[in-house]
Amino acid sequence: WLNEYFPSTGRWLEGRVYPSEDGVSVLFTEGSSRNEEEQHARMLSMFPEQNPAPVMRLTNDVQVLYANRAAAPLLEDWKREGYSSAAFHKLQEMLPQVIRSNTNQVIEIEHAGRVFSCQLVPFRQEGYVNIYFSDITERKQAEEALRAIVDQASAGITRANLQGGFTFVNQAFCD
């Protein structure tokens, strides 16, 4: 079969040749559906590249199979540091475990003053893990500020579960 653009018609046409009693028959159909599928596949393949957050695909021995543009600063820093950062080592330690268990894991790493929540999604048969980074620095800072307020409060503060058991008390409650 053939798939050609015909400028005179402004269309893509698919032609298929079939044997017939009189020789051959040629069937032409609108080729746009195939091109639309290719365009759709191309659009989908751009999805992780357009993500403003880092996205990576790593093997269990930390070979980079894919990294979007947002991941470039992380990779460049790790390379410059000789792959000795705590964040890199945490990922290096987790990748084989995640692939073996074949279950998603969420870990936090710190890098360049930022805190990232990393969702590790394994593909055991393929031997790689997709990692989706989310910058949670502001949330962590807000949690720490709230914790400091609670710890410094002169009034007792508690949190209880539905059964009435305490799940948190501050020092003022204990005093």
Side-chain angles (χ1 to χ4, degrees):
W1 61 271
L2 66 101
N3 188 21
E4 294 288 326
Y5 180 72
F6 290 85
S8 61
T9 63
R11 296 173 154 161
W12 283 86
L13 296 176
E14 283 186 11
R16 295 180 188 249
V17 179
Y18 299 98
S20 68
E21 291 178 9
D22 300 329
V24 292
S25 296
V26 180
L27 172 65
F28 284 99
T29 58
E30 185 77 36
S32 64
S33 64
R34 179 168 179 244
N35 291 321
E36 287 171 7
E37 290 172 10
E38 289 172 0
Q39 186 177 14
H40 183 69
R42 215 175 8 261
M43 181 191 66
L44 288 176
S45 72
M46 292 171 48
F47 187 73
E49 189 61 37
Q50 295 171 339
N51 190 334
V55 175
M56 295 182 194
R57 177 174 287 168
L58 304 176
T59 64
N60 65 349
D61 59 350
V62 202
Q63 288 184 328
V64 178
L65 299 177
Y66 173 82
N68 68 353
R69 275 180 284 201
L74 282 166
L75 293 171
E76 289 167 5
D77 287 351
W78 291 342
K79 184 177 182 179
R80 187 176 55 254
E81 297 165 357
Y83 302 101
S84 63
S85 72
F88 180 82
H89 284 293
K90 191 170 190 177
L91 284 173
Q92 187 177 34
E93 178 183 308
M94 289 299 298
L95 291 173
Q97 294 174 26
V98 170
I99 289 175
R100 263 194 314 277
S101 70
N102 205 34
T103 56
N104 295 2
Q105 298 283 329
V106 177
I107 63 170
E108 289 182 8
I109 63 169
E110 293 184 27
H111 177 77
R114 309 298 294 170
V115 180
F116 293 93
S117 174
C118 303
Q119 183 171 12
L120 287 75
V121 180
F123 293 85
R124 184 177 9 191
Q125 289 183 334
E126 292 83 355
Y128 61 75
V129 175
N130 286 348
I131 306 173
Y132 304 95
F133 293 73
S134 181
D135 189 338
I136 60 169
T137 306
E138 286 79 17
R139 185 184 87 197
K140 296 297 273 186
Q141 290 169 342
E143 288 172 357
E144 289 173 16
L146 181 59
R147 193 173 301 114
I149 291 169
V150 168
D151 290 344
Q152 295 172 6
S154 58
I157 300 174
T158 67
R159 180 176 54 218
N161 60 25
L162 293 174
Q163 292 76 33
F166 291 120
T167 59
F168 172 82
V169 296
N170 70 345
Q171 188 60 44
F173 183 84
C174 296
D175 295 342

